Amino acid sequence: MADQQSPPPGPDLSQGVALSDFSGTMLLGHVGDEEVLLVRSGSEIFAVDAHCSHYHGPLADGLVDGESIRCPWHHACFDLRSGEAARAPAFNSLSVWNVEREGMQIFVRQKREQPKPRVKGAVDAPSRIVIVGGGAAGFAAAEMLRRQDYRGSIVMLSGEKAAPVDRPNLSKDYLAGNAPEDWLPLRPADFYAEAGIDLRLGTEVASIDSKAKKVLLAGGQAVAFDRLLLATGAEPVRLPIPGADQPHVHLLRTLDDCRAIIASADGAQRAVVIGASFIGLEVAASLRARNIEVHVVGLEQRPMERVLGAEMGDFVRALHEEHGVVFHLGDTVTSIEGKRATLKSGGALQADVVVVGVGVRPRLALAERAGLAVDRGIKVDAYLQTSASDIFAAGDIARWPDPHSRENIRVEHWVVAERQGQAAARNMLGQREAFDAVPFFWSQHYDVPINYVGHAEKWDEIDIDGNIGAKDCLVKYKSDGRVLAVASIYRDVASLEAELAMERAVA
Ligand SMILES: Cc1cc2nc3c(=O)[nH]c(=O)nc-3n(C[C@H](O)[C@H](O)[C@H](O)COP(=O)(O)OP(=O)(O)OC[C@H]3O[C@@H](n4cnc5c(N)ncnc54)[C@H](O)[C@@H]3O)c2cc1C
Ligand code: FES
């Protein structure tokens, strides 16, 4: 929706545009006060909402590939014919508009009735699907099962008190105080009952009996399954130091954790963030937005060097310093006595609030006890199937054969978890779809988004196009001349093109 002061952009498509005025792939216009994007694909022209249904990214700045369009911000992908959100992180369809041709003019006047997503027909079997986990992968799987017209039962068991939330927001706008809490739920509360998803919150699964095909809840109750999806995610590593159990010392994974940090931050003057990880630094940025003095203590000499390389690491450090963050690198906190955090190097920092962001561990205990094959993650095949054929795994816990890096990898990325949840859902219905999505993550520091496609645990060359300091760059991580991963700042189309090139290389 355009804001009231500024007129909607581009031509009024209801008045028609000459075909000769639409020479490129996309043309942004409007119908009434709604922004509509015309997209050319081969000989056809489609008209869809101009903004992504995830965070309203401008699709006109995205990439068209055949009959699909990809969002420049977090790489959601929409089908142009049906509007369906084909790939996470978007779940809601785009509206699709009728395109009428009259002579050499195109008119867009009316939205089409939302077509049903293309599915293979109603599916009744397996009749009982149980999902352990109410996070990214668990939610995406449940939503996709119903989108596929699966009519059997879905029980979703989540240890959290809140229904699935937009977890990445917990270290960004919500923590910074820039997003209201009602932005966080992935779907409104009544979605689950309406979709026939039996979501049981605050429910801990104690064990899995893979032979008898049931999960046992901590309260002793059993829930039977025909197919089981494990999506138990990861848990933050706790620091084994004196004072880490005080109420103003926090980890961050759940909405409750985030609310507790916000409560401690209220009236705080100085925060100590332990760990210069992605989450640690996003928390630092959000606490600076609350005008709290922030000290980041990290073992590494350069933040994010292991993932992004030295140049990006230096940039990230300088960016945070510009915003007033004070770094204590090559150092750690050895104890927290009340509001005093003692540094290993000597000295101490005042710490009205402490956030520990020193990494996460995949939650593998259920799988290990059930005898599933585990190797620094639950081992799954290309179909996300574990060593037990009725049990699938997705998200932060899954180590899968990634065709792009040609390695078995496990990552901790929101979009990967959601896309694996979607693929696992289809595979639990028997579709045999290999999971071959290119890994993608984003991170946000102040006004600077960093997008990353691919996966490079090590590289022998970094190729920088543009200028990192000027926040305009494409950084390629190469091994033996092959591009394994690409990080970018404000080079969204190039990032999407890199993703597409990696997909095509494997296809
Ligand atoms: C603050 C924060 C910010 C982040 N920002 C980004 C970002 O910007 N970009 C990005 O790519 N990634 C980001 N991530 C990482 C991303 O959120 C994870 O990769 C993603 O959530 C993994 O999804 P998942 O479904 O595997 O696990 P989760 O989302 O963690 O969900 C796991 C679920 O399993 C439940 N569970 C676990 N064990 C049991 C049990 N025994 N019984 C019942 N339920 C159980 C948990 O309660 C939880 O509901 C962020 C993570 C955090 C914490
Ligand atoms: S805004 Fe489009 S994917 Fe996030």
Side-chain angles (χ1 to χ4, degrees):
M1 192 87 85
D3 83 48
Q4 280 183 337
Q5 272 84 46
S6 55
D12 180 348
L13 301 175
S14 67
Q15 300 300 310
V17 281
L19 270 170
S20 55
D21 290 339
F22 178 29
S23 50
T25 311
M26 292 189 261
L27 178 72
L28 180 61
H30 64 274
V31 178
D33 60 4
E34 291 188 74
E35 293 183 25
V36 174
L37 187 65
L38 284 183
V39 184
R40 191 189 298 279
S41 166
S43 59
E44 283 197 78
I45 295 174
F46 297 98
V48 294
D49 285 342
H51 289 273
C52 174
S53 63
H54 179 230
Y55 283 6
H56 304 286
L59 294 176
D61 297 340
L63 186 72
V64 174
D65 173 40
E67 288 194 3
S68 67
I69 186 163
R70 299 179 188 211
C71 176
W73 287 1
H74 316 112
H75 294 204
C77 180
F78 298 91
D79 184 294
L80 286 167
R81 197 173 286 282
S82 65
E84 185 187 2
R87 292 187 198 173
F91 291 101
N92 293 330
S93 299
L94 299 176
S95 297
V96 179
W97 301 68
N98 284 325
V99 177
E100 299 159 48
R101 286 197 197 197
E102 292 175 17
M104 296 307 282
Q105 293 245 298
I106 314 166
F107 292 84
V108 180
R109 301 182 178 108
Q110 243 191 349
K111 270 185 200 170
R112 270 178 31 202
E113 209 174 294
Q114 204 72 42
K116 284 223 163 246
R118 283 174 288 194
V119 293
K120 294 185 174 159
V123 191
D124 300 315
S127 63
R128 294 166 305 181
I129 294 183
V130 173
I131 297 170
V132 186
F139 169 82
E143 196 269 351
M144 182 52 76
L145 285 169
R146 287 296 181 235
R147 238 200 272 179
Q148 294 289 313
D149 218 1
Y150 168 62
R151 307 269 174 94
S153 103
I154 304 174
V155 178
M156 195 170 165
L157 306 164
S158 170
E160 286 176 80
K161 285 197 215 119
V165 293
D166 182 10
R167 212 178 292 291
N169 215 319
L170 300 181
S171 51
K172 304 180 184 68
D173 283 340
Y174 177 65
L175 181 60
N178 298 330
E181 195 161 305
D182 58 12
W183 285 11
L184 294 179
L186 292 181
R187 278 285 160 92
D190 54 8
F191 162 77
Y192 300 92
E194 276 174 18
I197 297 167
D198 179 4
L199 171 62
R200 302 191 199 167
L201 297 174
T203 303
E204 210 53 42
V205 172
S207 62
I208 303 163
D209 185 337
S210 56
K211 296 241 159 46
K213 292 214 211 167
K214 56 188 180 186
V215 299
L216 295 168
L217 307 186
Q221 203 193 339
V223 184
F225 64 83
D226 298 308
R227 297 279 184 283
L228 176 67
L229 175 65
L230 289 177
T232 48
E235 62 194 331
V237 172
R238 290 168 191 277
L239 271 188
I241 57 169
D245 53 354
Q246 298 175 87
H248 66 295
V249 181
H250 301 275
L251 301 168
L252 177 53
R253 187 77 188 180
T254 65
L255 175 56
D256 275 354
D257 295 338
C258 193
R259 287 183 181 139
I261 296 172
I262 292 170
S264 289
D266 190 23
Q269 289 181 339
R270 193 186 268 193
V272 172
V273 175
I274 307 178
S277 60
F278 282 100
I279 290 181
L281 291 182
E282 288 185 353
V283 166
S286 296
L287 294 178
R288 287 298 300 133
R290 289 179 179 269
N291 274 325
I292 296 172
E293 188 180 322
V294 178
H295 290 251
V296 173
V297 183
L299 280 173
E300 55 275 71
Q301 295 299 335
R302 258 196 196 101
M304 297 185 188
E305 182 175 12
R306 192 179 54 80
V307 182
L308 296 177
E311 294 85 350
M312 283 288 259
D314 286 340
F315 164 75
V316 169
R317 174 180 180 159
L319 176 68
H320 282 272
E321 284 175 340
E322 268 168 38
H323 285 82
V325 171
V326 181
F327 282 94
H328 305 263
L329 296 172
D331 208 347
T332 189
V333 171
T334 52
S335 67
I336 306 166
E337 304 100 47
K339 302 216 160 153
R340 199 183 131 88
T342 304
L343 295 175
K344 188 174 184 194
S345 60
L349 298 170
Q350 180 197 324
D352 302 326
V353 49
V354 179
V355 181
V356 179
V358 294
V360 296
R361 268 193 212 103
R363 286 187 170 114
L364 303 176
L366 285 178
E368 282 168 346
R369 286 204 299 271
L372 302 182
V374 166
D375 168 24
R376 298 160 295 142
I378 300 179
K379 277 172 89 168
V380 293
D381 65 11
Y383 307 100
L384 305 174
Q385 210 161 15
T386 69
S387 54
S389 60
D390 299 318
I391 305 180
F392 292 71
D396 284 4
I397 51 170
R399 183 171 291 276
W400 85 99
D402 170 42
H404 307 281
S405 58
R406 301 169 196 159
E407 283 171 24
N408 293 326
I409 66 170
R410 189 187 70 75
V411 301
E412 291 145 11
H413 306 348
W414 179 252
V415 171
V416 172
E418 290 181 326
R419 292 181 180 174
Q420 288 190 342
Q422 294 179 324
R426 291 187 284 258
N427 288 335
M428 286 192 290
L429 301 181
Q431 293 185 20
R432 298 295 284 172
E433 169 191 315
F435 180 77
D436 59 3
V438 177
F440 167 80
F441 76 81
W442 83 97
S443 184
Q444 179 86 26
H445 305 257
Y446 313 97
D447 60 339
V448 180
I450 300 173
N451 281 5
Y452 182 100
V453 291
H455 182 80
E457 282 175 22
K458 42 189 185 313
W459 53 80
D460 52 35
E461 187 190 343
I462 293 186
D463 173 12
I464 301 171
D465 180 19
N467 184 333
I468 298 178
K471 301 172 193 162
D472 170 30
C473 63
L474 193 74
V475 181
K476 294 182 183 158
Y477 304 86
K478 297 182 179 175
S479 179
D480 287 334
R482 198 165 82 91
V483 178
L484 297 179
V486 175
S488 60
I489 299 173
Y490 291 124
R491 291 277 187 100
D492 292 334
V493 171
S495 170
L496 285 167
E497 283 170 348
E499 179 184 65
L500 195 57
M502 288 181 200
E503 283 169 21
R504 289 190 175 149
V506 163

